[in-house]
Amino acid sequence: MLELKNVSKAFGDNQVLQDASLTVRDGETTVILGPSGSGKSTLLRFMNLLEFPETGSLSINDDAVTFGGRLTDAQIRSVRKHSAMVFQGYNLFPNQTVVDNVSLPPVLNGKLSKAQARERAQEVLDRVGMGDRLDEYPDNLSGGQQQRVAIARALAVDPDYLLFDEPTSALDPELAADVTRVMVDLASEGRSLVVVTHNIEFARQVAKRVIFLADGSVGFDGTPEEFFASDSERIQRYLSTYGTA
Amino acid sequence: MTELFSLWAESLPQLLLATLTVTIPLSALAFVLALIVAVIATAMRMGRVKPLQWLSRFYVWLFRGTPILVQLFIIFYGLPAIGITLSAWVSAIIAFTLNTGAYAAETLRASVQSIPRGQIEAAKTLNYTGWQTLRHVIAPQALRIALPPLGNDLIDLVKGTSLVMVITLADVFQVGRQIAATTFQPLALYMEVALIYLIIFTVLSWIQGRAEKVSNRYVRSTNA
């Protein structure tokens, strides 16, 4: 289980999150929705310690940190190892081929030998439909292909939680569909996904759980059925803005 | 015309000897040492220890802000006044190392800073250590960006070594000067010296081009 408790964060005068708490359960897909600037990405980035709240705490499985003081590298890395992020901008390493991007991380983490990592890379790249592009450099791939390699790279380190930060926002609809298909596939086999997205349809069809952020805190936490049937004015307004996009 | 050619042929061995014993080894040694100094200065500048940051900035400020000629004079003619007497060779190596190192440090810093934040975040999410991030993500990408300006630093250094005659070293330019003085043929001799510099420059440019091609292999070319 992943649990964020009472986290707050301000950027300058802008209080992005105020005392927000949420839990992510294992083996299901949690989708975080909310208008732009509601702190969705920030909340997701807390889970992987790419950003730090000013207060609150995070516990993932048997590791936990309390925010506010200085954390050691060892503390950060022990929490971080439980999750891996797929970024909106892919962030593949341009100086490494597809297979190196995917096979190097588990080797550097000391989890797999080079040969095992290579085998695992082939396996996860096959899963995302990129198994025949091993020696290509990222620059020669389309955005959708790069994003699928990025998903394979995250899978290669075998995290307990896969975090997606608007993974299809930078993609044309056709390429986005290829990426979404991979995510649906991962969700259906019981992986724990946490997805920040504006893709309402994805929330409707794939999510087991929807968390809605508004005005710096969790405004809704429940099933997609409950969410889409909600008569909250805030949620209705959100759906009418983003639901038709 | 034949006179000119025989003058060139006669003087060429001496000029080449000076090139091979002073200009090239001085440039090569100073450049290698300058790269080491630059890496250390960059690490200090980008590290977390404030006094080291200041020291690095002070070093770059001092050596970029003063002419290499003045630096040579201070080291060779000035330091003996406080009891530090260095040979011309050692003085030249120190001055050119520290001067080129300051420029190279600026090049390296700019290159490292130009790497997108997303690259560092990707390394973090994969739980790389600081060293792994430097070794596998930052250094290879920064080096590619730094290569062209570092090549320019090297070429500037080679040409700059023509100043060592002021501290008594007989480099290719100084030897050319001496021959010009005895033969009364300054135009011919200085053109010959210029030609030798041009040949060195051409070779270095070619090597730089090859190195850039290798380091750019992963970047989709814009005219492909």
Side-chain angles (χ1 to χ4, degrees), chain A residues 16-17 22 30-44 164-166 169 195-201 203 209-221 227-228 232 234-243 245:
Chain A
V16 178
L17 289 162
L22 66 83
T30 304
V31 170
I32 303 178
L33 297 175
S36 291
S38 59
K40 308 181 293 291
S41 290
T42 305
L43 199 63
L44 189 75
F164 292 83
D165 190 1
E166 306 201 24
S169 300
V195 184
V196 164
T197 184
H198 285 299
N199 185 343
I200 305 278
E201 277 316 300
R209 196 136 150 260
V210 170
I211 288 166
F212 179 71
L213 287 186
D215 308 319
S217 61
V218 175
F220 174 90
D221 185 345
F227 179 73
F228 288 104
S232 142
R234 196 74 191 76
I235 291 175
Q236 289 299 329
R237 185 147 42 97
Y238 170 77
L239 285 175
S240 69
T241 310
Y242 289 88

Side-chain angles (χ1 to χ4, degrees), chain A residues 93 153, chain B residues 118-129 133 137:
Chain A
F93 302 127
R153 181 175 68 174
Chain B
Q119 290 291 305
I120 315 295
E121 292 194 340
K124 281 182 179 168
T125 203
L126 298 166
N127 223 1
Y128 283 11
T129 63
T133 305
V137 181

Side-chain angles (χ1 to χ4, degrees), chain A residues 10-23:
Chain A
F11 294 107
D13 289 341
N14 180 16
Q15 189 73 40
V16 178
L17 289 162
Q18 179 76 54
D19 244 1
S21 299
L22 66 83
T23 60

Side-chain angles (χ1 to χ4, degrees), chain A residues 12-127:
Chain A
D13 289 341
N14 180 16
Q15 189 73 40
V16 178
L17 289 162
Q18 179 76 54
D19 244 1
S21 299
L22 66 83
T23 60
V24 172
R25 287 193 290 265
D26 290 2
E28 58 181 44
T29 296
T30 304
V31 170
I32 303 178
L33 297 175
S36 291
S38 59
K40 308 181 293 291
S41 290
T42 305
L43 199 63
L44 189 75
R45 289 161 62 82
F46 289 165
M47 298 178 189
N48 197 222
L49 301 183
L50 293 177
E51 213 136 359
F52 297 90
E54 284 128 21
T55 58
S57 64
L58 166 66
S59 74
I60 307 187
N61 297 344
D62 44 359
D63 287 292
V65 282
T66 303
F67 300 112
R70 203 177 147 73
L71 300 172
T72 65
D73 272 1
Q75 280 178 307
I76 291 171
R77 298 187 68 235
S78 76
V79 169
R80 206 176 254 159
K81 70 170 188 279
H82 292 289
S83 62
M85 180 80 75
V86 174
F87 301 90
Q88 180 178 354
Y90 336 127
N91 294 352
L92 292 177
F93 302 127
N95 53 314
Q96 298 172 6
T97 58
V98 164
V99 69
D100 286 346
N101 260 281
V102 178
S103 65
L104 201 53
V107 174
L108 293 183
N109 289 344
K111 282 183 180 168
L112 298 179
S113 71
K114 270 189 178 163
Q116 289 170 323
R118 170 99 197 181
E119 215 169 288
R120 171 122 183 100
Q122 181 72 61
E123 194 182 301
V124 289
L125 283 166
D126 281 339
R127 287 209 50 174

